[in-house]
Amino acid sequence: MAVADVVKLITENDVKFVDLRFTDTMGKEQHVTIPAHVLLDDADAWFENGHAFDGSSIAGWKGIQASDMLLMADPATAKIDPFFDEPTVFMSCDVIDPADGKGYDRCPRSVAKRAEAYLKASGIGDTAYFGPEPEFFIFDSITWGTDMSGCFVKIKAEEAAWASAEEFEGGNTGHRPGVKGGYFPVPPVDSSQDIRSAMVLLLEELGVPVEVHHHEVATAGQNEIGTKFSTLTQRADWTQILKYVVHNVAHSYGKTATFMPKPIVGDNGSGMHVHQSIWKDGKNLFAGDGYAGLSDIALYYIGGIIKHAKALNAITNPGTNSYKRLVPHYEAPVKLAYSAKNRSASIRIPHVANPKGRRIEARFPDPLANPYLCFAALMMAGLDGIQNKIHPGDAADKNLYDLPPEEDKLIPTVCASLDEALAALDADREFLTRGGVFSNEWIDAYIELKMKEVNLTRMTTHPVEFAMYYSL
């Protein structure tokens, strides 16, 4: 979509406002809205000059002494918002530093674009395709509190296994999935069918192609909407649209959705398996005649991800809550190995009928990850594997959760905590900074930002500690 197409979209639909959206370091979309006439007065100049804003209040960004930033709207992303009362077009924006006119080094979308440029400059390939699978929960309501008097969290979900004894208006129907019982019975056990369908229709209306939707393993409303793969930056854009639609459709139904990796104790958490492949001149470089139909390039790419996995965890699993999911026996892939069939391995090679679909699936990321940063970091690790021919060794076709101790200790694992991951990122960062994709200044600021989360959870007394220590 060109500038003229945006103008046409606005005028033909009597659009009143234009919503400018960008993603912060944490992965949350932010926005500012302008009357449509501001753009229409001189559309070419508006797109060329951008919209000025103060970036100093965005966590992890520059201080007030260097806060002036520009939002440069991408006309190709223009869509009519389906939730606002007044007709509004929204667009994804790059954050530009007016000092040099380049993408701000801490703007996630700019990082993603630099990663795509680095791939082309490397000569290895010209296109990286990504296909994430973010899972999420839909609850009826949630309350929590943390103060000096104590802390609590309470999830309310009529579909939850623990709700069998509760009284509900209209009665308790008794149809609900048990713990690890949500994959995937028909309604009324699956209570989210109509909500997911509403989400899918809006996603496709907004240009995000959907391939499947279903209930996931956990009780209390764990769901997944599978959307089509695309190029790195566009696929990150689509992931942000998916999150926006999921949150707002759930809200319109009087419910609440979360992409938090582990909101429920004792049941499966939400992952974001990330499918990926590298192409050049229209050819899939991952297709070959090796293990599971992979090429040497694909194996080296896997080797790079395994080598840098602990550093990657700081970006692909960026919350303290992420590591409550990364434990064995809840379908969480903690073992750094690869396999065509074994879902306990952190990297899986999906079966495909056509070699053009050959790809690898990194299973340890979760949907708390900023998609622009996550996809860029995974690709940079994979490219390092290709450049240095890092072979991942033999595939693992055993259940990695039930190995004998002498075999188990030979297989590396992902990090066990966010602070471990941040320390790994600090020590292993050079692969990310190649081509200026990530800057050392960005990494330093990111570690500082995330350590605040680590320290907050360290200092907060947890209710389970009372169960363990109160009477000692």
Side-chain angles (χ1 to χ4, degrees):
M1 187 178 288
V3 171
D5 298 312
V6 178
V7 171
K8 183 178 180 182
L9 182 68
I10 292 172
T11 54
E12 288 187 351
N13 292 279
D14 195 24
V15 167
K16 298 293 192 295
F17 295 97
V18 175
D19 202 48
L20 308 177
R21 300 183 183 175
F22 66 98
T23 299
D24 65 16
T25 300
M26 304 292 286
K28 186 65 177 174
E29 275 195 304
Q30 309 287 339
H31 76 139
V32 61
T33 309
I34 62 172
H37 67 76
V38 173
L39 183 155
L40 294 176
D41 286 345
D42 190 343
D44 289 325
W46 184 88
F47 274 98
E48 183 178 349
N49 296 330
H51 178 84
F53 78 106
D54 178 4
S56 64
S57 296
I58 305 300
W61 286 19
K62 288 184 179 179
I64 198 167
Q65 74 281 1
S67 59
D68 289 343
M69 295 286 157
L70 293 174
L71 291 176
M72 304 298 287
D74 183 347
T77 64
K79 304 289 180 185
I80 295 178
D81 190 284
F83 300 106
F84 292 172
D85 289 338
E86 295 296 337
T88 302
V89 162
F90 70 88
M91 287 182 278
S92 298
C93 297
D94 298 314
V95 179
I96 301 298
D97 190 336
D100 57 14
K102 297 180 180 179
Y104 178 39
D105 78 315
R106 301 185 195 182
C107 166
R109 197 169 192 264
S110 296
V111 170
K113 286 188 169 183
R114 289 195 294 270
E116 290 183 301
Y118 176 75
L119 171 63
K120 293 178 181 178
S122 73
I124 294 172
D126 51 40
T127 308
Y129 285 115
F130 283 80
E133 299 176 348
E135 298 166 338
F136 57 93
F137 281 87
I138 301 173
F139 301 137
D140 293 335
S141 69
I142 186 166
T143 52
W144 70 81
T146 304
D147 60 29
M148 294 176 69
S149 69
C151 52
F152 76 95
V153 59
K154 189 67 177 178
I155 297 168
K156 292 185 178 180
E158 188 168 350
E159 192 192 90
W162 63 80
S164 60
E166 292 189 27
E167 292 291 337
F168 296 102
E169 185 177 349
N172 190 325
T173 67
H175 296 293
R176 54 180 56 86
V179 175
K180 293 193 178 187
Y183 197 84
F184 31 50
V186 298
V189 176
D190 173 7
S191 67
S192 305
Q193 175 73 25
D194 290 335
I195 299 179
R196 290 196 309 271
S197 292
M199 293 169 178
V200 167
L201 292 175
L202 283 181
L203 282 169
E204 296 214 309
E205 182 181 308
L206 294 172
V208 181
V210 177
E211 296 179 329
V212 65
H213 74 84
H214 58 84
H215 202 287
E216 259 298 342
V217 173
T219 190
Q222 189 183 34
N223 294 275
E224 182 180 323
I225 297 174
T227 49
K228 193 175 181 180
F229 70 91
S230 189
T231 53
L232 192 156
T233 300
Q234 183 175 69
R235 188 50 265 200
D237 287 343
W238 287 359
T239 302
Q240 295 299 75
I241 292 174
L242 184 147
K243 285 188 171 185
Y244 179 71
V245 166
V246 166
H247 280 134
N248 281 280
V249 169
H251 187 74
S252 71
Y253 274 76
K255 296 182 182 290
T256 178
T258 181
F259 290 88
M260 190 174 174
K262 191 75 171 182
I264 296 177
V265 178
D267 209 337
N268 281 29
S270 293
M272 184 175 72
H273 305 156
V274 181
H275 298 251
Q276 50 207 291
S277 60
I278 303 293
W279 290 56
K280 187 174 185 179
D281 298 329
K283 178 184 177 183
N284 184 355
L285 301 182
F286 280 15
D289 54 9
Y291 175 81
L294 295 178
S295 66
D296 285 343
I297 285 177
L299 289 170
Y300 295 148
Y301 190 99
I302 291 170
I305 290 179
I306 290 176
K307 175 185 176 181
H308 298 295
K310 286 183 180 288
L312 287 172
N313 284 153
I315 296 171
T316 60
N317 307 89
T320 58
N321 185 253
S322 298
Y323 300 88
K324 292 178 170 60
R325 165 184 170 257
L326 290 178
V327 294
H329 305 297
Y330 290 94
E331 297 191 24
V334 297
K335 290 293 187 179
L336 293 171
Y338 72 101
S339 175
K341 299 178 180 179
N342 191 346
R343 290 174 184 263
S344 63
S346 61
I347 297 177
R348 188 175 75 94
I349 297 87
H351 170 75
V352 293
N354 189 330
K356 286 187 176 181
R358 194 76 63 211
R359 61 194 185 273
I360 69 133
E361 175 193 2
R363 294 174 62 81
F364 56 83
D366 68 55
L368 209 59
N370 183 320
Y372 301 100
L373 305 177
C374 174
F375 304 161
L378 285 167
M379 189 190 74
M380 294 299 287
L383 292 181
D384 179 57
I386 295 170
Q387 290 162 333
N388 291 289
K389 297 186 176 181
I390 303 170
H391 199 282
D394 294 333
D397 290 326
K398 297 180 180 179
N399 183 344
L400 299 177
Y401 297 145
D402 295 314
L403 294 175
E406 62 274 12
E407 291 184 41
D408 183 68
K409 68 182 181 181
L410 297 177
I411 301 177
T413 64
V414 296
C415 290
S417 65
L418 180 56
D419 49 329
E420 181 188 350
L422 293 171
L425 174 61
D426 197 17
D428 178 21
R429 59 169 71 190
E430 186 273 334
F431 74 98
L432 292 171
T433 62
R434 292 175 193 169
V437 175
F438 292 83
S439 68
N440 279 303
E441 291 76 16
W442 181 91
I443 294 172
D444 290 338
Y446 183 80
I447 292 172
E448 181 182 358
L449 180 66
K450 286 293 174 178
M451 278 304 298
K452 292 179 181 178
E453 298 174 23
V454 170
N455 290 328
L456 181 59
T457 55
R458 278 177 176 169
M459 293 186 298
T460 303
T461 304
H462 193 286
V464 77
E465 292 174 314
F466 288 87
M468 293 190 293
Y469 309 128
Y470 192 79
S471 295
L472 295 182

